[in-house]
């Protein structure tokens, strides 16, 4: 694994709600600046039915926008989640890269991050091009504890384990 994710959001409770938005590719410095500038503007005004949300974000590996919200003061509502998604779409338009394509998979190969279409990833696993120890990013984690424990997983412990050939 390439980082200790437990260092992120250390001031948030483990049950804090979380979203992982993965860019379709690693972003360059100018694109990263756009993402951070927009998120710095959005987070302080993010609210649910007029109640400020205690939320934060992390920009990880120049590709992952991870957003957490401590719902103990105020819970994120459908409307607040919709506003977050609209804002992510605005960032996508500004930089010309998608953060919402759920048909992409990112994994580590020779300590390098690779992003593939889900179909191509599945084919590589079934063909034995990726091993049970290949680290896969699980962007479906939904709370901070799950993020800390399960965002980066060896393939054989991930959602893709059933794709491994029986010989691995």
């Amino acid at each position: 694994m390439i980082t200790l994710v437990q260092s992120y959001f250390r001031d948030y409770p483990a049950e804090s709600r979380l979203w992982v938005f993965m860019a379709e590719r690693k972003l360059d410095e100018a694109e990263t600046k756009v993402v951070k500038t927009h998120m710095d503007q959005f987070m302080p005004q993010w609210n649910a039915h007029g109640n400020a949300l205690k939320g934060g974000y992390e920009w990880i590996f120049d590709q992952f926008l991870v957003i957490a919200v401590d719902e103990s003061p105020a819970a994120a509502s459908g409307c607040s989640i919709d506003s977050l998604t609209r804002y992510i779409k605005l960032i996508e338009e500004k930089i010309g890269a998608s953060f919402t394509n759920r048909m992409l998979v990112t994994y580590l190969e020779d300590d390098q991050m690779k992003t593939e279409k889900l179909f191509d990833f599945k084919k590589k696993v079934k063909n034995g091009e990726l091993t049970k120890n290949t680290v896969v990013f699980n962007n479906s984690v939904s709370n901070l504890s799950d993020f800390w424990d399960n965002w980066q997983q060896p393939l054989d412990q991930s959602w893709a384990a059933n794709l491994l050939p029986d010989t691995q």
Side-chain angles (χ1 to χ4, degrees), residues 60-99:
I60 305 173
F61 308 135
D62 296 323
Q63 189 167 3
F64 297 94
L65 178 58
V66 182
I67 298 164
V69 63
D70 173 357
E71 293 188 300
S72 57
S77 65
C79 294
S80 63
I81 296 165
D82 288 347
S83 72
L84 171 62
T85 304
R86 280 193 303 276
Y87 210 78
I88 299 299
K89 290 286 192 186
L90 173 74
I91 294 172
E92 287 179 333
E93 290 174 20
K94 296 270 185 196
I95 64 173
S98 175
F99 278 93

Side-chain angles (χ1 to χ4, degrees), residues 74-129:
S77 65
C79 294
S80 63
I81 296 165
D82 288 347
S83 72
L84 171 62
T85 304
R86 280 193 303 276
Y87 210 78
I88 299 299
K89 290 286 192 186
L90 173 74
I91 294 172
E92 287 179 333
E93 290 174 20
K94 296 270 185 196
I95 64 173
S98 175
F99 278 93
T100 53
N101 183 348
R102 298 292 182 199
M103 298 307 288
L104 297 175
V105 178
T106 297
Y107 60 93
L108 294 177
E109 184 176 57
D110 300 323
D111 290 328
Q112 296 293 314
M113 286 181 42
K114 305 279 184 169
T115 301
E116 305 248 3
K117 292 179 182 172
L118 180 59
F119 176 82
D120 295 330
F121 173 80
K122 286 180 175 181
K123 195 164 45 172
K124 279 188 166 187
V125 173
K126 286 183 179 183
N127 291 340
E129 295 174 55

